[in-house]
Amino acid sequence: MKPLKRPARRALLVVHVAASAGWLGLTLGLLALALTAATTESAAMIEAACRSMKVFTDWLVIPLALLTLLSGLVLSLRTKWGLAQHRWVYTKFWLTLITVAASIFALRPGVNAAVDTVASGAAPADPLGLVMGPVVSFTTYVFMTVVSMLKPWGLTRRGRRLRVVPTSRKALDERSLRPTA
C-alpha cells in the first residue's frame, strides 16, 4: 500500500492521538461517575451519575472508539510500521478492537440497564460492575499509551520476513546492474 505523504500522516496522527486521549479522558470521567454511583447513599446522586454515564456512552464512547480504531488502522497500514510487522502495533490493534467491542456490547448495555434500574427507583443491581468497565478500559488505554511510547518487542515473524535482504547471487547481480545516480 502506498505510504501517506508527510502532511497527511501528521494530520492523521493528530486525529489519532486526539481521539485516543479523548477516549482515555472520557473513561476517567466514566470511572469518576461510576465510583460516585457505587459509593454514595443518595438516590438522586446515583441516578444523576448513571444518567450522566448514559450520555457519555450513548454519544461519545462509540464515536471516539471507532475514530481511534479507524485512524490507528490507517496509520498502521499506510506508514512504515505496518499492521502486522511490529509486535507493539499488532498488540495495540487487537487491544483496541477488543475494547471497542467491549464498549459496544458490554459497557453501553450495562450503563443502560443501570439507568433503567435507577429510573424505576431501585438501587443499581451491581454497582461494582459499573466501576469495573471503566477500570479495565482505563488500564488498557494506559498500557497502550506506554506501548506507543516505548515501542517494545521488536518485529513479528512477518516483519522479519519482509525485512530480509536478498543475498542470492541473482539478486546481487541485479542490484549491481542498476544505474547509480
Side-chain angles (χ1 to χ4, degrees):
M1 198 175 273
K2 187 175 172 185
L4 291 171
K5 300 233 184 268
R6 187 172 189 210
R9 180 182 50 81
R10 286 180 146 188
L12 189 58
L13 185 60
V14 167
V15 168
H16 181 68
V17 170
S20 300
W23 200 12
L24 177 66
L26 182 59
T27 300
L28 278 175
L30 287 170
L31 180 58
L33 290 168
L35 285 170
T36 300
T39 59
T40 189
E41 297 292 323
S42 167
M45 185 68 87
I46 293 170
E47 184 171 357
C50 289
R51 288 186 183 276
S52 297
M53 287 180 74
K54 181 173 174 37
V55 170
F56 284 0
T57 58
D58 283 353
W59 294 98
L60 297 172
V61 169
I62 306 304
L64 281 174
L66 292 174
L67 184 57
T68 300
L69 177 64
L70 182 63
S71 61
L73 188 59
V74 172
L75 278 169
S76 68
L77 292 173
R78 303 279 307 272
T79 63
K80 68 178 181 176
W81 297 109
L83 179 60
Q85 292 180 33
H86 294 83
R87 286 190 179 103
W88 72 272
V89 176
Y90 205 54
T91 300
K92 277 188 62 181
F93 169 73
W94 284 107
L95 286 174
T96 302
L97 198 60
I98 290 166
T99 53
V100 167
S103 296
I104 293 170
F105 299 114
L107 179 66
R108 190 167 182 235
V111 168
N112 288 339
V115 168
D116 292 342
T117 301
V118 297
S120 69
D126 185 19
L128 188 59
L130 276 178
V131 174
M132 289 312 296
V135 165
V136 170
S137 295
F138 178 72
T139 305
T140 305
Y141 305 150
V142 169
F143 174 77
M144 287 191 285
T145 301
V146 169
V147 166
S148 294
M149 303 278 302
L150 300 179
K151 297 173 180 48
W153 309 314
L155 296 171
T156 62
R157 187 179 309 155
R158 181 177 189 273
R160 284 190 303 271
R161 190 175 63 243
L162 291 174
R163 295 268 171 111
V164 171
V165 177
T167 57
S168 70
R169 181 77 180 139
K170 181 180 176 186
L172 290 173
D173 289 342
E174 288 175 2
R175 262 193 277 157
S176 65
L177 294 175
R178 289 188 205 140
T180 57

